[in-house]
mmCIF file of all heavy atoms in Angstrom:
data_model
loop_
_atom_site.group_PDB
_atom_site.id
_atom_site.type_symbol
_atom_site.label_atom_id
_atom_site.label_comp_id
_atom_site.label_asym_id
_atom_site.label_seq_id
_atom_site.Cartn_x
_atom_site.Cartn_y
_atom_site.Cartn_z
ATOM 1 N N MET A 39 10.300 7.688 -6.597
ATOM 2 C CA MET A 39 9.832 8.835 -5.751
ATOM 3 C C MET A 39 10.477 8.917 -4.287
ATOM 4 O O MET A 39 10.829 9.958 -3.786
ATOM 5 C CB MET A 39 8.207 8.818 -5.430
ATOM 6 C CG MET A 39 7.467 9.047 -6.779
ATOM 7 S SD MET A 39 7.718 10.646 -7.583
ATOM 8 C CE MET A 39 8.914 10.287 -8.724
ATOM 9 N N TRP A 40 10.758 7.653 -3.853
ATOM 10 C CA TRP A 40 11.485 7.601 -2.607
ATOM 11 C C TRP A 40 12.815 8.276 -2.752
ATOM 12 O O TRP A 40 13.346 8.932 -1.888
ATOM 13 C CB TRP A 40 11.656 6.135 -2.156
ATOM 14 C CG TRP A 40 10.391 5.713 -1.388
ATOM 15 C CD1 TRP A 40 9.073 5.629 -1.682
ATOM 16 C CD2 TRP A 40 10.431 5.053 -0.038
ATOM 17 N NE1 TRP A 40 8.421 5.057 -0.742
ATOM 18 C CE2 TRP A 40 9.210 4.711 0.260
ATOM 19 C CE3 TRP A 40 11.611 4.760 0.829
ATOM 20 C CZ2 TRP A 40 8.838 4.111 1.507
ATOM 21 C CZ3 TRP A 40 11.159 4.093 2.005
ATOM 22 C CH2 TRP A 40 9.961 3.774 2.333
ATOM 23 N N ASP A 41 13.468 7.924 -3.881
ATOM 24 C CA ASP A 41 14.810 8.454 -4.097
ATOM 25 C C ASP A 41 14.731 9.929 -4.338
ATOM 26 O O ASP A 41 15.544 10.731 -3.746
ATOM 27 C CB ASP A 41 15.430 7.818 -5.319
ATOM 28 C CG ASP A 41 15.725 6.363 -5.127
ATOM 29 O OD1 ASP A 41 15.764 5.898 -3.915
ATOM 30 O OD2 ASP A 41 15.791 5.624 -6.136
ATOM 31 N N LYS A 42 13.847 10.435 -5.237
ATOM 32 C CA LYS A 42 13.720 11.816 -5.624
ATOM 33 C C LYS A 42 13.433 12.748 -4.398
ATOM 34 O O LYS A 42 14.116 13.917 -4.367
ATOM 35 C CB LYS A 42 12.709 11.988 -6.729
ATOM 36 C CG LYS A 42 12.661 13.367 -7.271
ATOM 37 C CD LYS A 42 11.569 13.517 -8.467
ATOM 38 C CE LYS A 42 11.498 14.767 -9.030
ATOM 39 N NZ LYS A 42 10.607 14.763 -10.268
ATOM 40 N N TYR A 43 12.517 12.332 -3.624
ATOM 41 C CA TYR A 43 12.069 13.209 -2.532
ATOM 42 C C TYR A 43 12.523 12.842 -1.053
ATOM 43 O O TYR A 43 12.003 13.314 -0.114
ATOM 44 C CB TYR A 43 10.497 13.373 -2.551
ATOM 45 C CG TYR A 43 10.003 13.869 -3.863
ATOM 46 C CD1 TYR A 43 9.147 13.363 -4.709
ATOM 47 C CD2 TYR A 43 10.377 15.255 -4.186
ATOM 48 C CE1 TYR A 43 8.775 13.894 -5.830
ATOM 49 C CE2 TYR A 43 9.834 15.881 -5.281
ATOM 50 C CZ TYR A 43 9.064 15.115 -6.212
ATOM 51 O OH TYR A 43 8.625 15.804 -7.346
ATOM 52 N N ASP A 44 13.395 11.853 -1.031
ATOM 53 C CA ASP A 44 13.865 11.319 0.211
ATOM 54 C C ASP A 44 12.795 10.933 1.156
ATOM 55 O O ASP A 44 12.643 11.305 2.359
ATOM 56 C CB ASP A 44 14.820 12.191 0.871
ATOM 57 C CG ASP A 44 15.678 11.629 2.046
ATOM 58 O OD1 ASP A 44 15.702 10.348 2.060
ATOM 59 O OD2 ASP A 44 16.270 12.353 2.871
ATOM 60 N N LEU A 45 11.744 10.087 0.617
ATOM 61 C CA LEU A 45 10.629 9.787 1.383
ATOM 62 C C LEU A 45 11.030 8.918 2.647
ATOM 63 O O LEU A 45 10.279 8.946 3.734
ATOM 64 C CB LEU A 45 9.620 9.078 0.505
ATOM 65 C CG LEU A 45 8.982 9.865 -0.564
ATOM 66 C CD1 LEU A 45 8.010 8.979 -1.425
ATOM 67 C CD2 LEU A 45 8.300 11.172 -0.095
ATOM 68 N N ALA A 46 12.070 8.183 2.550
ATOM 69 C CA ALA A 46 12.460 7.385 3.761
ATOM 70 C C ALA A 46 12.716 8.341 4.932
ATOM 71 O O ALA A 46 12.220 7.959 6.080
ATOM 72 C CB ALA A 46 13.667 6.509 3.415
ATOM 73 N N GLN A 47 13.315 9.347 4.691
ATOM 74 C CA GLN A 47 13.737 10.346 5.736
ATOM 75 C C GLN A 47 12.378 10.942 6.351
ATOM 76 O O GLN A 47 12.219 11.088 7.518
ATOM 77 C CB GLN A 47 14.640 11.468 5.255
ATOM 78 C CG GLN A 47 14.999 12.453 6.222
ATOM 79 C CD GLN A 47 14.116 13.681 6.245
ATOM 80 O OE1 GLN A 47 13.563 14.059 5.319
ATOM 81 N NE2 GLN A 47 13.941 14.191 7.533
ATOM 82 N N MET A 48 11.427 11.300 5.436
ATOM 83 C CA MET A 48 10.248 11.847 5.875
ATOM 84 C C MET A 48 9.366 10.919 6.686
ATOM 85 O O MET A 48 8.732 11.443 7.656
ATOM 86 C CB MET A 48 9.370 12.218 4.597
ATOM 87 C CG MET A 48 9.904 13.528 3.902
ATOM 88 S SD MET A 48 8.688 13.991 2.671
ATOM 89 C CE MET A 48 7.299 14.661 3.708
ATOM 90 N N ALA A 49 9.441 9.646 6.365
ATOM 91 C CA ALA A 49 8.655 8.615 6.992
ATOM 92 C C ALA A 49 9.345 8.106 8.279
ATOM 93 O O ALA A 49 8.724 7.335 9.024
ATOM 94 C CB ALA A 49 8.272 7.548 6.046
ATOM 95 N N GLY A 50 10.593 8.447 8.412
ATOM 96 C CA GLY A 50 11.402 7.934 9.520
ATOM 97 C C GLY A 50 11.681 6.477 9.370
ATOM 98 O O GLY A 50 11.958 5.743 10.303
ATOM 99 N N ALA A 51 11.730 5.996 7.999
ATOM 100 C CA ALA A 51 12.056 4.611 7.714
ATOM 101 C C ALA A 51 13.499 4.369 8.109
ATOM 102 O O ALA A 51 14.413 5.253 8.021
ATOM 103 C CB ALA A 51 11.838 4.483 6.313
ATOM 104 N N LYS A 52 13.779 3.105 8.359
ATOM 105 C CA LYS A 52 15.092 2.594 8.709
ATOM 106 C C LYS A 52 15.838 2.179 7.420
ATOM 107 O O LYS A 52 16.928 1.644 7.597
ATOM 108 C CB LYS A 52 14.907 1.433 9.653
ATOM 109 C CG LYS A 52 14.322 1.767 11.096
ATOM 110 C CD LYS A 52 14.152 0.601 11.890
ATOM 111 C CE LYS A 52 13.454 1.006 13.179
ATOM 112 N NZ LYS A 52 13.041 -0.058 13.991
ATOM 113 N N THR A 53 15.273 2.296 6.296
ATOM 114 C CA THR A 53 15.901 1.916 5.106
ATOM 115 C C THR A 53 15.681 2.993 3.974
ATOM 116 O O THR A 53 14.699 3.795 4.191
ATOM 117 C CB THR A 53 15.273 0.642 4.524
ATOM 118 O OG1 THR A 53 15.932 0.284 3.386
ATOM 119 C CG2 THR A 53 13.863 0.609 4.339
ATOM 120 N N LYS A 54 16.424 3.105 3.013
ATOM 121 C CA LYS A 54 16.258 4.100 1.835
ATOM 122 C C LYS A 54 15.408 3.500 0.812
ATOM 123 O O LYS A 54 14.996 4.295 -0.128
ATOM 124 C CB LYS A 54 17.582 4.471 1.209
ATOM 125 C CG LYS A 54 18.397 5.326 2.244
ATOM 126 C CD LYS A 54 17.812 6.632 2.405
ATOM 127 C CE LYS A 54 18.664 7.550 3.277
ATOM 128 N NZ LYS A 54 18.017 8.761 3.599
ATOM 129 N N ARG A 55 14.976 2.186 0.835
ATOM 130 C CA ARG A 55 14.162 1.613 -0.074
ATOM 131 C C ARG A 55 12.789 1.485 0.330
ATOM 132 O O ARG A 55 12.476 1.355 1.507
ATOM 133 C CB ARG A 55 14.687 0.184 -0.344
ATOM 134 C CG ARG A 55 15.968 0.144 -0.985
ATOM 135 C CD ARG A 55 16.593 -1.341 -1.297
ATOM 136 N NE ARG A 55 15.377 -2.074 -1.769
ATOM 137 C CZ ARG A 55 15.251 -3.360 -1.638
ATOM 138 N NH1 ARG A 55 16.025 -4.033 -0.981
ATOM 139 N NH2 ARG A 55 14.176 -3.949 -2.219
ATOM 140 N N ASN A 56 11.853 1.418 -0.636
ATOM 141 C CA ASN A 56 10.440 1.076 -0.321
ATOM 142 C C ASN A 56 10.305 -0.416 -0.334
ATOM 143 O O ASN A 56 9.939 -1.110 -1.292
ATOM 144 C CB ASN A 56 9.505 1.658 -1.391
ATOM 145 C CG ASN A 56 8.089 1.462 -0.973
ATOM 146 O OD1 ASN A 56 7.707 0.778 -0.077
ATOM 147 N ND2 ASN A 56 7.127 1.967 -1.830
ATOM 148 N N ASP A 57 10.686 -1.000 0.898
ATOM 149 C CA ASP A 57 10.682 -2.439 0.936
ATOM 150 C C ASP A 57 9.242 -3.014 0.930
ATOM 151 O O ASP A 57 9.080 -4.232 0.716
ATOM 152 C CB ASP A 57 11.399 -2.864 2.277
ATOM 153 C CG ASP A 57 12.811 -2.634 2.251
ATOM 154 O OD1 ASP A 57 13.382 -2.808 1.156
ATOM 155 O OD2 ASP A 57 13.393 -2.324 3.380
#
Side-chain angles (χ1 to χ4, degrees):
M39 295 297 95
W40 274 55
D41 296 340
K42 183 175 182 176
Y43 296 117
D44 195 15
L45 295 180
Q47 182 270 330
M48 283 186 74
K52 296 175 185 170
T53 178
K54 290 290 183 189
R55 294 181 42 209
N56 183 358
D57 291 326

